[in-house]
Amino acid sequence: MRVIVTPKATVLDPQGAAVREAMQHLGMPEVREVRIGKYLEIEVEGDAAEVEPRLHQLCRDLLSNPVIEDYQLQRSEEGAE
Amino acid sequence: MRVIVTPKATVLDPQGAAVREAMQHLGMPEVREVRIGKYLEIEVEGDAAEVEPRLHQLCRDLLSNPVIEDYQLQRSEEGAE
């Protein structure tokens, strides 16, 4: 499974702003905005459907800060991963 | 466009190992492995196809460390983003 944690649209992302400026100075003036989040690949034994509700809970409690971040939980294409 | 930067499979990921143990202690003993990377949403003005080669170059030079990390560059589904 994959979890993507991103800063909420209303929250400042200074790291993203720094990367945007670096990209603009390094030959990509077209860059308008960069937002940086976390990407987690989680390998779970057993049935993804059975595990998913608990994983959602952990996304809220451990992997993201719901005050300032959103998360997306995705099943990987390959069954077991 | 989206860039996902992940540690290479052969590289230790201590942050991922720490999250794996935390998840195992918080009600998900089924977790076998966690690997943590970066997720970047990059908004670019103009034609994605024209920008893409330079973005690949920046992925290698700025956004990832090719010695220890891999990156994936994906076009977002929505055209302009």
Side-chain angles (χ1 to χ4, degrees), chain B residues 51-78:
Chain B
V51 166
E52 211 168 303
R54 275 179 294 146
L55 192 47
H56 271 288
Q57 190 63 46
L58 276 188
C59 283
R60 287 187 292 266
D61 293 347
L62 176 71
L63 305 178
S64 75
N65 176 349
V67 178
I68 55 168
E69 292 172 326
D70 293 319
Y71 76 88
Q72 297 166 48
L73 177 56
Q74 302 170 348
R75 291 201 206 174
S76 309
E77 285 85 48
E78 316 96 285

Side-chain angles (χ1 to χ4, degrees), chain B residues 27-47:
Chain B
M28 280 201 59
E30 305 93 333
V31 175
R32 267 198 306 204
E33 198 180 359
V34 178
R35 295 187 77 77
I36 300 186
K38 279 181 294 185
Y39 176 85
L40 294 94
E41 269 175 11
I42 300 174
E43 221 174 296
V44 176
E45 275 170 46
D47 183 20

